Amino acid sequence: RNLKWMMECRSDIDRLNASFLEIYESLIPREEEKVKQKQLLALLEKLVCKEWPEARLYLYGSCANSFGVSKSDIDVCLVISDADLNKSEVLLKLADILQSDNLQNVQALTRARVPIVKLKDPATGISCDICINNVLAVVNTKLLRDYAEIDERLRQLAFIVKHWAKSRGVNETYQGTLSSYAYVLMCIHFLQQRRPAILPCLQEMEATYSVTVDDVECAFFDQVEKLRNFGSYNKETIAQLVWAFFSYWAYGHNYANSVISVRTGSIISKQGKDWTRRVGNDRHLICIEDPFETSHDLGRVVDKFSIRVLRGEFERAAEIMQYDPNPCVTLFEPY
Ligand code: CTP
Ligand code: MG
């Protein structure tokens, strides 16, 4: 039944395309915003280097992976190599330094899962989270950004999916739904799986970039300017892809046995990863393998209640894409 349903694409799907592209364009941050982010980063660098001359700051997350919508907060990572470093002490010291320089709402959250300092810059209005030595996040940010350079349909699809997830309240890890990072990985994997493929698997190609971080080897092909035509045999449009993405997560994905893996560009089995039973709080009800920390399931936050909410939302979205006369409005209606 499902297979047949999935092949019956609506006849006006191309008409929808213009509307989806319009939504995408409206979400892209303007150049001025990027300039302000750079200004804030430069200010932070100046302050940090006074105390720790060897330290470096890196942008990561949506402000640097090219999946950030306008008016996003920025994520910054302070990289500091100090053998006997106490993260809490550094964070408290950092908060001190920033407080005395007119930044607002400076707060050190030393007990969070990822300890951070939060602040707001009154000059640019930008809020910012600073973490320490989270180098894997800086590297996975590069991987996402490199994928985005290969085919612009990735950015279009991910913006629509993130916008949908925020509108529908399913982008809240503390409520058991998925992070933006997880949604972007779902989009990359989905485009790797189209036939013809729209994205390659960079980690399976000859490595032109390689770093070892916390004993994890991160290696992939990063000369993406050579891959600009990779997806050109596939002519699917953004509306078709949004339709197929939600159909896949509503009716096509095997939740009982499958793990989606951007690292291998394929579906792998839960069995192979020993993700078949509940261990502690990890239930593996929807499995999304982190491309570098391969023991991390980004679906681990999902519990037996939120999986129903999530799958209900995938089904709602798939139905709307199939039957609703005005999907570009209905899809994003607040829940
Ligand atoms: N990250 C990670 N592992 C996770 C969650 C996040 O490594 N389980 C890192 C990734 O580098 C990600 C960044 O933290 O890019 C920020 O995560 P998130 O807030 O989910 O994504 P953003 O892209 O910043 O999305 P948003 O626009 O919603 O802020
Ligand atoms: Mg973010």
Side-chain angles (χ1 to χ4, degrees):
R1 193 212 99 178
N2 294 339
L3 197 65
K4 180 162 171 287
W5 189 89
M6 286 180 73
M7 290 188 300
E8 278 170 16
C9 202
R10 52 192 286 169
S11 57
D12 65 342
I13 193 95
D14 287 331
R15 186 180 57 82
L16 296 181
N17 223 29
S19 313
F20 275 118
L21 285 178
E22 228 170 84
I23 295 173
Y24 165 67
E25 303 282 344
S26 73
L27 294 169
I28 296 177
R30 300 188 172 221
E31 207 43 51
E32 301 104 81
E33 260 187 70
K34 294 273 148 201
V35 173
K36 284 182 178 174
Q37 292 177 353
K38 294 264 155 62
Q39 276 171 8
L40 175 55
L41 187 69
L43 168 68
L44 295 173
E45 259 164 356
K46 199 183 81 193
L47 297 173
V48 163
C49 282
K50 272 191 211 156
E51 178 69 30
W52 299 286
E54 310 286 284
R56 287 289 167 272
L57 289 180
Y58 296 90
L59 286 175
Y60 74 101
S62 63
C63 57
N65 65 17
S66 79
F67 296 102
V69 302
S70 77
K71 305 197 175 62
S72 301
D73 299 349
I74 67 171
D75 299 303
V76 176
C77 175
L78 169 67
V79 175
I80 175 169
S81 52
D82 183 343
D84 38 41
L85 167 102
N86 177 321
K87 272 196 190 181
S88 297
E89 277 171 26
V90 175
L91 282 172
L92 291 170
K93 179 92 206 165
L94 181 63
D96 241 19
I97 296 168
L98 300 173
Q99 200 122 45
S100 54
D101 199 275
N102 279 331
L103 292 161
Q104 291 173 337
N105 310 348
V106 179
Q107 242 184 318
L109 306 181
T110 54
R111 287 154 183 269
R113 193 179 60 81
V114 179
I116 51 168
V117 172
K118 292 177 93 60
L119 61 93
K120 183 168 176 165
D121 174 31
T124 57
I126 299 176
S127 296
C128 165
D129 291 350
I130 307 176
C131 66
I132 295 174
N133 288 350
N134 191 0
V135 181
L136 274 171
V138 176
V139 177
N140 68 37
T141 292
K142 173 176 164 58
L143 181 72
L144 267 48
R145 185 177 58 235
D146 285 344
Y147 270 114
E149 297 259 311
I150 298 169
D151 195 296
E152 73 173 333
R153 286 172 288 184
L154 170 58
R155 230 178 140 212
Q156 295 167 350
L157 177 65
F159 270 57
I160 299 291
V161 169
K162 278 179 66 176
H163 182 46
W164 161 84
K166 286 182 205 290
S167 311
R168 301 298 302 169
V170 287
N171 180 208
E172 312 282 359
T173 47
Y174 63 92
Q175 288 177 359
T177 55
L178 299 170
S179 65
S180 298
Y181 177 57
Y183 282 113
V184 175
L185 291 173
M186 288 158 77
C187 292
I188 295 174
H189 180 263
F190 174 76
L191 298 182
Q192 287 175 328
Q193 292 284 298
R194 297 312 283 167
R195 292 295 172 265
I198 294 179
L199 291 178
C201 174
L202 296 176
Q203 289 172 273
E204 295 268 280
M205 296 168 67
E206 174 209 359
T208 51
Y209 169 87
S210 168
V211 284
T212 301
V213 184
D214 308 337
D215 296 327
V216 180
E217 203 206 340
C218 308
F220 57 94
F221 183 79
D222 77 336
Q223 296 173 4
V224 284
E225 63 286 351
K226 295 186 180 152
L227 297 171
R228 290 271 160 69
N229 288 322
F230 183 91
S232 60
Y233 293 108
N234 183 313
K235 306 289 183 208
E236 286 174 301
T237 59
I238 181 61
Q240 283 171 304
L241 292 169
V242 171
W243 176 86
F245 178 88
F246 286 122
S247 299
Y248 173 76
W249 285 102
Y251 307 114
H253 182 70
N254 182 335
Y255 287 79
N257 302 316
S258 298
V259 176
I260 65 152
S261 164
V262 165
R263 172 180 61 97
T264 60
S266 64
I267 300 270
I268 57 182
S269 81
K270 279 199 197 180
Q271 218 122 40
K273 299 198 66 95
D274 201 18
W275 282 358
T276 49
R277 50 209 165 79
R278 178 176 169 188
V279 177
N281 273 330
D282 290 12
R283 293 166 201 262
H284 307 298
L285 300 173
I286 173 172
C287 295
I288 302 158
E289 182 194 57
D290 187 273
F292 300 120
E293 291 178 287
T294 56
S295 64
H296 273 194
D297 175 6
L298 297 166
R300 68 185 178 278
V301 290
V302 177
D303 61 35
K304 63 181 176 180
F305 300 106
S306 60
I307 189 69
R308 294 175 61 179
V309 173
L310 200 55
R311 292 186 64 172
E313 284 297 329
F314 288 138
E315 283 166 30
R316 173 186 179 274
E319 293 281 319
I320 288 170
M321 288 305 296
Q322 180 79 0
Y323 299 114
D324 194 279
N326 214 347
C328 290
V329 176
T330 319
L331 202 55
F332 309 107
E333 265 166 11
Y335 60 103

PDB file of all heavy atoms in Angstrom, residues 7-31:
ATOM      1  N   MET A   7       4.420   6.421  -4.803  1.00  0.00           N
ATOM      2  CA  MET A   7       4.700   6.702  -6.210  1.00  0.00           C
ATOM      3  C   MET A   7       3.661   7.614  -6.842  1.00  0.00           C
ATOM      4  O   MET A   7       3.846   8.140  -7.916  1.00  0.00           O
ATOM      5  CB  MET A   7       4.827   5.392  -6.987  1.00  0.00           C
ATOM      6  CG  MET A   7       6.099   4.670  -6.573  1.00  0.00           C
ATOM      7  SD  MET A   7       6.492   3.226  -7.548  1.00  0.00           S
ATOM      8  CE  MET A   7       5.097   2.210  -7.284  1.00  0.00           C
ATOM      9  N   GLU A   8       2.549   7.793  -6.155  1.00  0.00           N
ATOM     10  CA  GLU A   8       1.501   8.665  -6.697  1.00  0.00           C
ATOM     11  C   GLU A   8       1.763  10.106  -6.322  1.00  0.00           C
ATOM     12  O   GLU A   8       1.189  10.662  -5.402  1.00  0.00           O
ATOM     13  CB  GLU A   8       0.137   8.255  -6.133  1.00  0.00           C
ATOM     14  CG  GLU A   8      -0.479   7.099  -6.867  1.00  0.00           C
ATOM     15  CD  GLU A   8      -1.698   6.570  -6.131  1.00  0.00           C
ATOM     16  OE1 GLU A   8      -2.219   7.287  -5.248  1.00  0.00           O
ATOM     17  OE2 GLU A   8      -2.105   5.445  -6.421  1.00  0.00           O
ATOM     18  N   CYS A   9       2.649  10.704  -7.021  1.00  0.00           N
ATOM     19  CA  CYS A   9       3.009  12.083  -6.745  1.00  0.00           C
ATOM     20  C   CYS A   9       1.885  13.017  -7.192  1.00  0.00           C
ATOM     21  O   CYS A   9       1.228  12.750  -8.191  1.00  0.00           O
ATOM     22  CB  CYS A   9       4.283  12.382  -7.512  1.00  0.00           C
ATOM     23  SG  CYS A   9       5.183  13.727  -6.835  1.00  0.00           S
ATOM     24  N   ARG A  10       1.630  14.081  -6.460  1.00  0.00           N
ATOM     25  CA  ARG A  10       0.545  14.974  -6.869  1.00  0.00           C
ATOM     26  C   ARG A  10       0.897  15.717  -8.158  1.00  0.00           C
ATOM     27  O   ARG A  10       2.054  16.011  -8.426  1.00  0.00           O
ATOM     28  CB  ARG A  10       0.169  15.936  -5.748  1.00  0.00           C
ATOM     29  CG  ARG A  10       1.322  16.713  -5.159  1.00  0.00           C
ATOM     30  CD  ARG A  10       0.913  17.395  -3.889  1.00  0.00           C
ATOM     31  NE  ARG A  10       0.058  18.553  -4.153  1.00  0.00           N
ATOM     32  CZ  ARG A  10      -0.610  19.192  -3.204  1.00  0.00           C
ATOM     33  NH1 ARG A  10      -0.537  18.786  -1.941  1.00  0.00           N
ATOM     34  NH2 ARG A  10      -1.347  20.227  -3.495  1.00  0.00           N
ATOM     35  N   SER A  11      -0.137  16.037  -8.919  1.00  0.00           N
ATOM     36  CA  SER A  11       0.111  16.570 -10.266  1.00  0.00           C
ATOM     37  C   SER A  11       0.566  18.026 -10.235  1.00  0.00           C
ATOM     38  O   SER A  11       1.197  18.504 -11.165  1.00  0.00           O
ATOM     39  CB  SER A  11      -1.157  16.443 -11.103  1.00  0.00           C
ATOM     40  OG  SER A  11      -2.188  17.133 -10.430  1.00  0.00           O
ATOM     41  N   ASP A  12       0.239  18.736  -9.137  1.00  0.00           N
ATOM     42  CA  ASP A  12       0.615  20.149  -9.079  1.00  0.00           C
ATOM     43  C   ASP A  12       1.916  20.373  -8.310  1.00  0.00           C
ATOM     44  O   ASP A  12       2.198  21.471  -7.860  1.00  0.00           O
ATOM     45  CB  ASP A  12      -0.506  20.962  -8.437  1.00  0.00           C
ATOM     46  CG  ASP A  12      -0.720  20.583  -6.973  1.00  0.00           C
ATOM     47  OD1 ASP A  12      -0.247  19.491  -6.570  1.00  0.00           O
ATOM     48  OD2 ASP A  12      -1.343  21.361  -6.245  1.00  0.00           O
ATOM     49  N   ILE A  13       2.718  19.314  -8.185  1.00  0.00           N
ATOM     50  CA  ILE A  13       3.908  19.410  -7.338  1.00  0.00           C
ATOM     51  C   ILE A  13       4.856  20.524  -7.814  1.00  0.00           C
ATOM     52  O   ILE A  13       5.499  21.190  -7.006  1.00  0.00           O
ATOM     53  CB  ILE A  13       4.623  18.030  -7.246  1.00  0.00           C
ATOM     54  CG1 ILE A  13       5.657  18.013  -6.129  1.00  0.00           C
ATOM     55  CG2 ILE A  13       5.265  17.617  -8.547  1.00  0.00           C
ATOM     56  CD1 ILE A  13       5.153  17.454  -4.836  1.00  0.00           C
ATOM     57  N   ASP A  14       4.887  20.754  -9.109  1.00  0.00           N
ATOM     58  CA  ASP A  14       5.803  21.786  -9.614  1.00  0.00           C
ATOM     59  C   ASP A  14       5.337  23.204  -9.289  1.00  0.00           C
ATOM     60  O   ASP A  14       6.149  24.097  -9.075  1.00  0.00           O
ATOM     61  CB  ASP A  14       6.015  21.617 -11.115  1.00  0.00           C
ATOM     62  CG  ASP A  14       6.906  20.402 -11.375  1.00  0.00           C
ATOM     63  OD1 ASP A  14       7.741  20.094 -10.500  1.00  0.00           O
ATOM     64  OD2 ASP A  14       6.739  19.769 -12.430  1.00  0.00           O
ATOM     65  N   ARG A  15       4.034  23.359  -9.218  1.00  0.00           N
ATOM     66  CA  ARG A  15       3.479  24.663  -8.834  1.00  0.00           C
ATOM     67  C   ARG A  15       3.929  25.030  -7.416  1.00  0.00           C
ATOM     68  O   ARG A  15       4.180  26.176  -7.090  1.00  0.00           O
ATOM     69  CB  ARG A  15       1.953  24.614  -8.894  1.00  0.00           C
ATOM     70  CG  ARG A  15       1.257  25.945  -8.665  1.00  0.00           C
ATOM     71  CD  ARG A  15      -0.257  25.781  -8.736  1.00  0.00           C
ATOM     72  NE  ARG A  15      -0.767  24.794  -7.780  1.00  0.00           N
ATOM     73  CZ  ARG A  15      -0.998  25.058  -6.484  1.00  0.00           C
ATOM     74  NH1 ARG A  15      -0.754  26.244  -5.990  1.00  0.00           N
ATOM     75  NH2 ARG A  15      -1.476  24.101  -5.697  1.00  0.00           N
ATOM     76  N   LEU A  16       4.058  23.984  -6.586  1.00  0.00           N
ATOM     77  CA  LEU A  16       4.463  24.211  -5.200  1.00  0.00           C
ATOM     78  C   LEU A  16       5.906  24.663  -5.078  1.00  0.00           C
ATOM     79  O   LEU A  16       6.318  25.269  -4.100  1.00  0.00           O
ATOM     80  CB  LEU A  16       4.337  22.909  -4.399  1.00  0.00           C
ATOM     81  CG  LEU A  16       2.962  22.342  -4.233  1.00  0.00           C
ATOM     82  CD1 LEU A  16       3.040  21.076  -3.405  1.00  0.00           C
ATOM     83  CD2 LEU A  16       2.085  23.374  -3.555  1.00  0.00           C
ATOM     84  N   ASN A  17       6.650  24.336  -6.104  1.00  0.00           N
ATOM     85  CA  ASN A  17       8.067  24.600  -6.050  1.00  0.00           C
ATOM     86  C   ASN A  17       8.398  26.060  -5.799  1.00  0.00           C
ATOM     87  O   ASN A  17       9.210  26.392  -4.931  1.00  0.00           O
ATOM     88  CB  ASN A  17       8.666  24.165  -7.378  1.00  0.00           C
ATOM     89  CG  ASN A  17       9.932  23.446  -7.145  1.00  0.00           C
ATOM     90  OD1 ASN A  17      10.102  22.817  -6.114  1.00  0.00           O
ATOM     91  ND2 ASN A  17      10.826  23.567  -8.082  1.00  0.00           N
ATOM     92  N   ALA A  18       7.732  26.919  -6.554  1.00  0.00           N
ATOM     93  CA  ALA A  18       7.968  28.353  -6.423  1.00  0.00           C
ATOM     94  C   ALA A  18       7.688  28.801  -4.987  1.00  0.00           C
ATOM     95  O   ALA A  18       8.455  29.568  -4.406  1.00  0.00           O
ATOM     96  CB  ALA A  18       7.090  29.114  -7.398  1.00  0.00           C
ATOM     97  N   SER A  19       6.607  28.259  -4.397  1.00  0.00           N
ATOM     98  CA  SER A  19       6.255  28.661  -3.035  1.00  0.00           C
ATOM     99  C   SER A  19       7.315  28.204  -2.030  1.00  0.00           C
ATOM    100  O   SER A  19       7.673  28.950  -1.120  1.00  0.00           O
ATOM    101  CB  SER A  19       4.918  28.082  -2.621  1.00  0.00           C
ATOM    102  OG  SER A  19       3.974  28.276  -3.622  1.00  0.00           O
ATOM    103  N   PHE A  20       7.810  26.973  -2.189  1.00  0.00           N
ATOM    104  CA  PHE A  20       8.842  26.501  -1.260  1.00  0.00           C
ATOM    105  C   PHE A  20      10.127  27.316  -1.403  1.00  0.00           C
ATOM    106  O   PHE A  20      10.769  27.651  -0.410  1.00  0.00           O
ATOM    107  CB  PHE A  20       9.137  25.012  -1.465  1.00  0.00           C
ATOM    108  CG  PHE A  20       8.194  24.122  -0.720  1.00  0.00           C
ATOM    109  CD1 PHE A  20       7.360  23.241  -1.391  1.00  0.00           C
ATOM    110  CD2 PHE A  20       8.119  24.174   0.671  1.00  0.00           C
ATOM    111  CE1 PHE A  20       6.475  22.424  -0.702  1.00  0.00           C
ATOM    112  CE2 PHE A  20       7.244  23.358   1.373  1.00  0.00           C
ATOM    113  CZ  PHE A  20       6.416  22.487   0.681  1.00  0.00           C
ATOM    114  N   LEU A  21      10.473  27.651  -2.652  1.00  0.00           N
ATOM    115  CA  LEU A  21      11.689  28.439  -2.853  1.00  0.00           C
ATOM    116  C   LEU A  21      11.551  29.818  -2.222  1.00  0.00           C
ATOM    117  O   LEU A  21      12.507  30.347  -1.657  1.00  0.00           O
ATOM    118  CB  LEU A  21      12.020  28.554  -4.343  1.00  0.00           C
ATOM    119  CG  LEU A  21      12.597  27.268  -4.951  1.00  0.00           C
ATOM    120  CD1 LEU A  21      12.862  27.452  -6.441  1.00  0.00           C
ATOM    121  CD2 LEU A  21      13.877  26.832  -4.236  1.00  0.00           C
ATOM    122  N   GLU A  22      10.328  30.364  -2.290  1.00  0.00           N
ATOM    123  CA  GLU A  22      10.083  31.667  -1.679  1.00  0.00           C
ATOM    124  C   GLU A  22      10.298  31.600  -0.162  1.00  0.00           C
ATOM    125  O   GLU A  22      10.915  32.483   0.432  1.00  0.00           O
ATOM    126  CB  GLU A  22       8.646  32.074  -1.958  1.00  0.00           C
ATOM    127  CG  GLU A  22       8.468  33.474  -2.465  1.00  0.00           C
ATOM    128  CD  GLU A  22       7.041  33.669  -2.940  1.00  0.00           C
ATOM    129  OE1 GLU A  22       6.181  33.961  -2.089  1.00  0.00           O
ATOM    130  OE2 GLU A  22       6.781  33.484  -4.159  1.00  0.00           O
ATOM    131  N   ILE A  23       9.789  30.541   0.446  1.00  0.00           N
ATOM    132  CA  ILE A  23       9.970  30.376   1.900  1.00  0.00           C
ATOM    133  C   ILE A  23      11.455  30.249   2.220  1.00  0.00           C
ATOM    134  O   ILE A  23      11.980  30.906   3.127  1.00  0.00           O
ATOM    135  CB  ILE A  23       9.205  29.128   2.407  1.00  0.00           C
ATOM    136  CG1 ILE A  23       7.709  29.335   2.219  1.00  0.00           C
ATOM    137  CG2 ILE A  23       9.533  28.838   3.877  1.00  0.00           C
ATOM    138  CD1 ILE A  23       6.861  28.119   2.524  1.00  0.00           C
ATOM    139  N   TYR A  24      12.150  29.430   1.438  1.00  0.00           N
ATOM    140  CA  TYR A  24      13.594  29.256   1.628  1.00  0.00           C
ATOM    141  C   TYR A  24      14.321  30.605   1.564  1.00  0.00           C
ATOM    142  O   TYR A  24      15.076  30.957   2.470  1.00  0.00           O
ATOM    143  CB  TYR A  24      14.118  28.278   0.569  1.00  0.00           C
ATOM    144  CG  TYR A  24      15.613  28.273   0.396  1.00  0.00           C
ATOM    145  CD1 TYR A  24      16.460  27.823   1.412  1.00  0.00           C
ATOM    146  CD2 TYR A  24      16.193  28.719  -0.798  1.00  0.00           C
ATOM    147  CE1 TYR A  24      17.836  27.832   1.241  1.00  0.00           C
ATOM    148  CE2 TYR A  24      17.559  28.718  -0.972  1.00  0.00           C
ATOM    149  CZ  TYR A  24      18.378  28.278   0.049  1.00  0.00           C
ATOM    150  OH  TYR A  24      19.743  28.290  -0.115  1.00  0.00           O
ATOM    151  N   GLU A  25      14.027  31.379   0.504  1.00  0.00           N
ATOM    152  CA  GLU A  25      14.706  32.680   0.341  1.00  0.00           C
ATOM    153  C   GLU A  25      14.441  33.588   1.540  1.00  0.00           C
ATOM    154  O   GLU A  25      15.321  34.300   1.997  1.00  0.00           O
ATOM    155  CB  GLU A  25      14.219  33.408  -0.927  1.00  0.00           C
ATOM    156  CG  GLU A  25      14.374  32.633  -2.228  1.00  0.00           C
ATOM    157  CD  GLU A  25      15.798  32.637  -2.781  1.00  0.00           C
ATOM    158  OE1 GLU A  25      16.591  33.479  -2.333  1.00  0.00           O
ATOM    159  OE2 GLU A  25      16.088  31.777  -3.650  1.00  0.00           O
ATOM    160  N   SER A  26      13.209  33.537   2.060  1.00  0.00           N
ATOM    161  CA  SER A  26      12.859  34.442   3.157  1.00  0.00           C
ATOM    162  C   SER A  26      13.571  34.059   4.454  1.00  0.00           C
ATOM    163  O   SER A  26      13.669  34.870   5.376  1.00  0.00           O
ATOM    164  CB  SER A  26      11.347  34.447   3.369  1.00  0.00           C
ATOM    165  OG  SER A  26      10.950  33.233   3.982  1.00  0.00           O
ATOM    166  N   LEU A  27      14.059  32.828   4.540  1.00  0.00           N
ATOM    167  CA  LEU A  27      14.716  32.378   5.775  1.00  0.00           C
ATOM    168  C   LEU A  27      16.232  32.627   5.769  1.00  0.00           C
ATOM    169  O   LEU A  27      16.871  32.632   6.820  1.00  0.00           O
ATOM    170  CB  LEU A  27      14.462  30.877   5.980  1.00  0.00           C
ATOM    171  CG  LEU A  27      13.015  30.452   6.255  1.00  0.00           C
ATOM    172  CD1 LEU A  27      12.875  28.933   6.155  1.00  0.00           C
ATOM    173  CD2 LEU A  27      12.556  30.933   7.630  1.00  0.00           C
ATOM    174  N   ILE A  28      16.798  32.823   4.586  1.00  0.00           N
ATOM    175  CA  ILE A  28      18.257  33.002   4.485  1.00  0.00           C
ATOM    176  C   ILE A  28      18.686  34.285   5.192  1.00  0.00           C
ATOM    177  O   ILE A  28      18.078  35.333   4.987  1.00  0.00           O
ATOM    178  CB  ILE A  28      18.690  33.077   3.000  1.00  0.00           C
ATOM    179  CG1 ILE A  28      18.383  31.759   2.296  1.00  0.00           C
ATOM    180  CG2 ILE A  28      20.180  33.399   2.858  1.00  0.00           C
ATOM    181  CD1 ILE A  28      18.717  31.768   0.819  1.00  0.00           C
ATOM    182  N   PRO A  29      19.726  34.216   6.037  1.00  0.00           N
ATOM    183  CA  PRO A  29      20.169  35.447   6.699  1.00  0.00           C
ATOM    184  C   PRO A  29      20.790  36.419   5.701  1.00  0.00           C
ATOM    185  O   PRO A  29      21.360  36.014   4.705  1.00  0.00           O
ATOM    186  CB  PRO A  29      21.232  34.956   7.692  1.00  0.00           C
ATOM    187  CG  PRO A  29      21.475  33.531   7.419  1.00  0.00           C
ATOM    188  CD  PRO A  29      20.501  33.034   6.426  1.00  0.00           C
ATOM    189  N   ARG A  30      20.628  37.696   5.992  1.00  0.00           N
ATOM    190  CA  ARG A  30      21.196  38.706   5.105  1.00  0.00           C
ATOM    191  C   ARG A  30      22.671  38.898   5.404  1.00  0.00           C
ATOM    192  O   ARG A  30      23.144  38.575   6.478  1.00  0.00           O
ATOM    193  CB  ARG A  30      20.483  40.024   5.302  1.00  0.00           C
ATOM    194  CG  ARG A  30      19.026  39.903   5.013  1.00  0.00           C
ATOM    195  CD  ARG A  30      18.482  41.260   5.053  1.00  0.00           C
ATOM    196  NE  ARG A  30      17.108  41.286   4.594  1.00  0.00           N
ATOM    197  CZ  ARG A  30      16.680  42.251   3.829  1.00  0.00           C
ATOM    198  NH1 ARG A  30      17.515  43.196   3.429  1.00  0.00           N
ATOM    199  NH2 ARG A  30      15.417  42.273   3.469  1.00  0.00           N
ATOM    200  N   GLU A  31      23.332  39.509   4.443  1.00  0.00           N
ATOM    201  CA  GLU A  31      24.774  39.744   4.558  1.00  0.00           C
ATOM    202  C   GLU A  31      25.111  40.572   5.811  1.00  0.00           C
ATOM    203  O   GLU A  31      26.072  40.285   6.507  1.00  0.00           O
ATOM    204  CB  GLU A  31      25.270  40.430   3.284  1.00  0.00           C
ATOM    205  CG  GLU A  31      26.725  40.194   2.938  1.00  0.00           C
ATOM    206  CD  GLU A  31      27.190  38.740   3.123  1.00  0.00           C
ATOM    207  OE1 GLU A  31      26.544  37.795   2.622  1.00  0.00           O
ATOM    208  OE2 GLU A  31      28.210  38.562   3.811  1.00  0.00           O
TER     209      GLU A  31
END
